[in-house]
Amino acid sequence: MSQPKVFNLPDVGEGLTEAEIVKWHVQAGDTVEINQTIVEIETAKAIVELPCPFEGVVTELHVAEGQTVDVGAPIISVDAEGGAAPEPARPAEPARRAEEGVPTPDEPGMVSPEQPPKRQPVLVGYGVKEAATKRRPRKASNGTAPAAPAPAPAAPVVKPPAVKPPAPRPQPVDNGLPLAKPPVRKMAKDLGVDLATIKGSGPQGSITREDVQAALSAPAAPAVQAGPREERVPVKGVRKATAAAMSASAFTAPHVTEFLQVDVTRTMETVKRLRELPEFADVKVSPLLLVARALLTAVARNPMVNSSWADGPDGAEIVVKRYVNLGIAAATERGLIVPKVKDAQDLDLPGLARALAELTEKARAGKATPADLSDGTITITNVGVFGVDSGTPILTPGESAILAFGQIRDMPWVHEGELAIRKVTTLSLSFDHRIVDGELGSKVLRDVGAMLEDPIRMLAWS
């Protein structure tokens, strides 16, 4: 058998240093083919499926599920000749019987030829004497049975004098209830005291009035928490990368956040009409779609908001992006991730709706690739799905603005000079104050709000 080939953990993303083994799809002894998926790993950005570069039989898995391994470390060995995996040695006969559940001569239920079966007691407390089996008496040589020995004379039986047993003392009835007299029970009920929590000091453990009053004045015992009082969750994978990125962003870019309440009644009416069109028959239409379109239009009107800060050898620069890779923050079981709709500015409204739906579903299923999660230019976070009105979002590293979209609520609103109940939401825009000053940030936020108040403006400004 030749030396097995070793597959080392590759760098599936630019700058990847480590990954966690999430799930193995093969085990030692399995036959694998080239490009067959053998393992799922979680990087700092996404869960990635790794194909096998060899064909043969798996000889060893070097890393267990749940462990983190550095890039370049061995994770699996494969016998490229495809020889069958060695058959495990069969255990010795007693061990084999123990594994298969067959009793051995030293175990109950198994009798060896040299060991006669041992009789077991039938009833608890009534043992069986050893060698208590009776044999039929042998006959004498003349054909007659030997005479039995004469029985010993029986001892005279002396009867003890009759003694009258004492009368039994009356015992309290054990019906599961605390022992207390009716007046005491009424007193405890009126005072809201649970008799089951009181230890009686009266006769036979009965509860008295004094016991009830003492329980009423005693401080309440703290509730006992079931299970462990603390839980430690390892910070790794997406959550580790998110924590590092958010910390760097919060303490690198000077954040400013502005807020704007908007009447989105017409937007909700537009969403309802879009759902009835055949172009949107196979896709979910939500208010987020029009929020995304409004932000794309605002970026086209104010390109500087779609830029990044770059420190170079010749000094700092502002890099203005003429394309929009729109990030949509998505909460998943592995943590917060932000997949990007690449070149979102080139999509029509049905195409944008499909891209948002597919990318969000892919991210929540853990199938987003590192390419899906990189190279963003501006982001939307929909905090309204959590029942939140607003927030102060932190910038995604490398971006200069992020828009938070709050929940839509029925609120009193002055509409056409009269008080009416309207659909209202709150928008908040956080931006990097090194790039976006207050005037530009306010203009972008005002443009988005104006288009959501009157969606016709999207057509006029596009």
Side-chain angles (χ1 to χ4, degrees):
M1 182 175 179
S2 63
Q3 186 72 17
K5 293 186 177 181
V6 178
F7 180 35
N8 299 328
L9 178 67
D11 182 1
V12 296
E14 183 178 356
L16 178 67
T17 59
E18 64 181 13
E20 177 188 349
I21 303 298
V22 176
K23 181 180 180 181
W24 282 107
H25 291 276
V26 295
Q27 297 295 330
D30 292 350
T31 301
V32 294
E33 300 177 353
I34 295 178
N35 292 331
Q36 174 184 341
T37 299
I38 57 174
V39 65
E40 294 180 11
I41 65 172
E42 181 180 2
T43 69
K45 295 183 177 180
I47 290 182
V48 181
E49 296 179 346
L50 293 185
C52 184
F54 312 125
E55 179 179 0
V57 177
V58 178
T59 59
E60 184 180 1
L61 303 181
H62 298 282
V63 185
E65 293 181 357
Q67 291 185 350
T68 300
V69 59
D70 295 333
V71 170
I75 60 174
I76 187 173
S77 296
V78 178
D79 178 12
E81 291 187 351
E87 180 180 1
R90 296 180 60 84
E93 186 67 17
R96 183 185 65 81
R97 287 178 170 272
E99 291 181 359
E100 298 177 356
V102 180
T104 62
D106 296 333
E107 296 176 343
M110 184 64 183
V111 180
S112 63
E114 297 80 8
Q115 180 182 0
K118 183 177 180 180
R119 296 180 63 194
Q120 300 294 334
V122 179
L123 298 177
V124 177
Y126 293 84
V128 180
K129 294 182 179 179
E130 298 287 345
T133 305
K134 294 184 179 181
R135 297 177 179 269
R136 179 180 296 176
R138 296 182 179 180
K139 293 184 179 181
S141 58
N142 56 3
T144 61
V157 178
V158 180
K159 294 184 179 182
V163 179
K164 184 177 181 180
R169 298 179 59 185
Q171 299 293 331
V173 179
D174 186 8
N175 55 4
L177 298 176
L179 188 61
K181 296 181 179 180
V184 178
R185 293 184 182 278
K186 185 178 184 305
M187 175 184 177
K189 182 179 180 181
D190 294 340
L191 297 176
V193 178
D194 186 5
L195 292 178
T197 62
I198 301 177
K199 182 178 181 180
S201 61
Q204 300 176 351
S206 62
I207 300 174
T208 64
R209 290 178 175 270
E210 291 75 13
D211 296 332
V212 175
Q213 293 174 350
L216 185 63
S217 59
V224 179
Q225 179 181 355
R229 292 172 58 85
E230 295 181 348
E231 178 184 5
R232 295 183 178 268
V233 180
V235 179
K236 55 186 178 180
V238 172
R239 198 173 299 275
K240 179 180 179 181
T242 301
M246 292 298 99
S247 298
S249 176
F251 294 102
T252 301
H255 285 58
V256 174
T257 305
E258 294 184 341
F259 303 87
L260 178 65
Q261 276 195 321
V262 182
D263 177 4
V264 293
T265 305
R266 291 182 181 179
T267 289
M268 299 305 294
E269 294 172 354
T270 303
V271 168
K272 183 177 180 181
R273 294 184 62 185
L274 289 176
R275 292 170 178 169
E276 299 172 353
L277 296 179
E279 290 82 359
F280 298 91
D282 59 342
V283 67
K284 179 182 178 181
V285 179
S286 68
L288 179 62
L289 173 61
L290 295 185
V291 174
R293 172 55 67 191
L295 181 60
L296 292 173
T297 304
V299 167
R301 290 165 56 86
N302 308 277
M304 184 66 74
V305 78
N306 187 53
S307 57
S308 61
W309 183 275
D311 290 315
D314 298 330
E317 296 178 329
I318 296 176
V319 182
V320 182
K321 314 294 178 61
R322 299 300 179 182
Y323 57 91
V324 181
N325 290 341
L326 180 62
I328 304 295
T332 69
E333 294 181 354
R334 300 183 297 115
L336 178 67
I337 61 177
V338 186
K340 278 76 176 178
V341 180
K342 301 299 177 63
D343 292 316
Q345 78 283 351
D346 297 332
L347 299 175
D348 58 10
L349 200 58
L352 181 61
R354 293 184 181 89
L356 290 174
E358 293 173 1
L359 200 59
T360 302
E361 181 180 356
K362 187 177 180 181
R364 289 174 178 168
K367 301 300 182 181
T369 64
D372 294 330
L373 304 174
S374 60
D375 299 329
T377 62
I378 195 167
T379 297
I380 297 175
T381 176
N382 185 6
V383 298
V385 296
F386 308 115
V388 175
D389 292 332
S390 183
T392 56
I394 297 178
L395 295 172
T396 302
E399 301 178 12
S400 61
I402 179 172
L403 178 69
F405 174 39
Q407 67 172 329
I408 298 174
R409 303 173 55 190
D410 290 333
M411 294 181 63
W413 194 264
V414 177
H415 175 65
E416 296 180 352
E418 296 182 358
L419 189 64
I421 300 299
R422 306 287 287 179
K423 301 289 185 181
V424 178
T425 189
T426 301
L427 304 174
S428 56
L429 183 70
S430 292
F431 48 87
D432 185 345
H433 215 348
R434 297 174 301 177
I435 304 173
V436 182
D437 56 23
E439 180 184 6
L440 178 58
S442 301
K443 187 177 179 182
V444 171
L445 187 58
R446 186 182 67 239
D447 284 355
V448 173
M451 285 182 278
L452 294 179
E453 285 183 347
D454 186 5
I456 297 298
R457 294 181 185 270
M458 296 185 196
L459 298 178
W461 292 350
S462 297

